[in-house]
Amino acid sequence: TIQNCPKIKLEDFDLGNRIATSSFGYIYEATERETGKSVFIKILINNNPMNEELKKYFIREINTSHINIPGIVKTIGYRFPLSPEEAQKSESKYKNDYIVVTEFMENGCFAPINQSYLNSNGNLNDKINPTIRSKIVFGAAATMSRLHKMKIIHRDLKLENIWLDEKLEPHIGDFCLARFIENDVHLTTNVGTPICMAPELFNEENYGFPVDVYAFGILLYRLFTTEIVFEDLKPIRTAFHLKSKIEKGLRFKKPNHVPEHYWELIQKCWKQEPSERPKFEEIVEILKDDKFALEEFGMKADINGLHEYQDRMDINE
């Protein structure tokens, strides 16, 4: 069941531009008609009314993202598919779908911004610079530390699920695959984005919170390069090919511009053995070292601004 999150009516919102498409559905910019407030509306396409799996993911997303912590894209309302009686009266093309209303992130998804920044050697930096990128690294780690302390596993941490608010500070979104777990519960369902999946996920082995740490390592890797290249330099042909390489312990080639201390942290995060990966609270402590304040493309992070952000976000204080 859904806990303490208000129901909404889709007709109370005006849908604007579609800003993202995923395997689950679409994300739109939208405006609440009564207040004029900007929000995101996520539509989970429900092609099969008997699809209990989608309903399960929907309920988990609401319950894990309707929590009052900094650093996430918070859910503020939801709607189940309409009943047959309601659907008859509705003209919406989304009457059979699941609806999630979340906070608005003024500066959008980080992934395409990061790609443009890297491709332009730092020249396209109106929404990104070493300070913002350093905050994104620390903010993602601190937020994941909070989630793990609350027994929430995300299972799909990646650049595409980092969103930037009006201050260009990061928020983790897309909790479709997230769920609450206790220490004695072992998950086996093979889910996630293949390139970000830890080796234990591919074999449906028992797994837990370390899969998010592995994904964080991939997130850091992709922060510095737009090319995913294995150490053996052979192309990735299929998902099965990717799986076989990861299971054998093969990892991605070191990007040219990644600082050595970042490379060391990346390698710790994507260790083959889950127990050898650091916990997020340890990663937060590691990232407090000023050497992780990025210096790149002739620009330096604002140390004072980064410290102020770290103080606000630090769960270990």
Side-chain angles (χ1 to χ4, degrees), residues 131 143 261 276:
T131 307
T143 301
H261 43 281
E276 294 180 5

Side-chain angles (χ1 to χ4, degrees), residues 72-85:
I72 69 166
V73 181
K74 185 179 177 182
T75 291
I76 55 180
Y78 73 96
R79 194 211 71 188
F80 279 113
L82 299 180
S83 68
E85 296 77 15

Side-chain angles (χ1 to χ4, degrees), residues 117-133:
Y117 179 78
L118 295 177
N119 288 342
S120 69
N121 291 321
N123 289 322
L124 297 179
N125 59 4
D126 59 325
K127 288 187 177 181
I128 188 169
N129 56 46
T131 307
I132 294 166
R133 281 160 57 81

Side-chain angles (χ1 to χ4, degrees), residues 151-197:
K151 306 299 183 185
I152 296 172
I153 186 172
H154 190 278
R155 298 198 290 182
D156 201 21
L157 180 64
K158 56 185 178 181
L159 288 184
E160 290 79 3
N161 288 334
I162 303 292
W163 296 78
L164 302 179
D165 64 16
E166 74 282 359
K167 297 179 181 178
L168 292 163
E169 293 179 352
H171 297 250
I172 296 172
D174 198 346
F175 283 73
C176 262
L177 299 181
R179 60 170 293 184
F180 289 95
I181 63 170
E182 296 299 331
N183 290 333
D184 57 348
V185 173
H186 297 287
L187 305 178
T188 58
T189 305
N190 180 334
V191 295
T193 302
I195 203 75
C196 304
M197 288 168 62

Side-chain angles (χ1 to χ4, degrees), residues 295-306:
E295 181 177 345
E296 56 194 6
F297 304 123
M299 299 177 285
K300 292 183 179 181
D302 170 13
I303 292 292
N304 291 333
L306 179 58

Side-chain angles (χ1 to χ4, degrees), residues 39 58 129 231 286:
V39 296
F58 177 74
N129 56 46
E231 292 168 325
I286 291 170

Side-chain angles (χ1 to χ4, degrees), residues 248-267:
K248 291 174 183 175
L250 202 64
R251 294 295 184 266
F252 304 115
K253 182 176 177 288
K254 181 182 178 182
N256 291 331
H257 304 298
V258 62
E260 194 59 43
H261 43 281
Y262 267 96
W263 184 239
E264 291 173 5
L265 178 56
I266 288 168
Q267 291 179 300

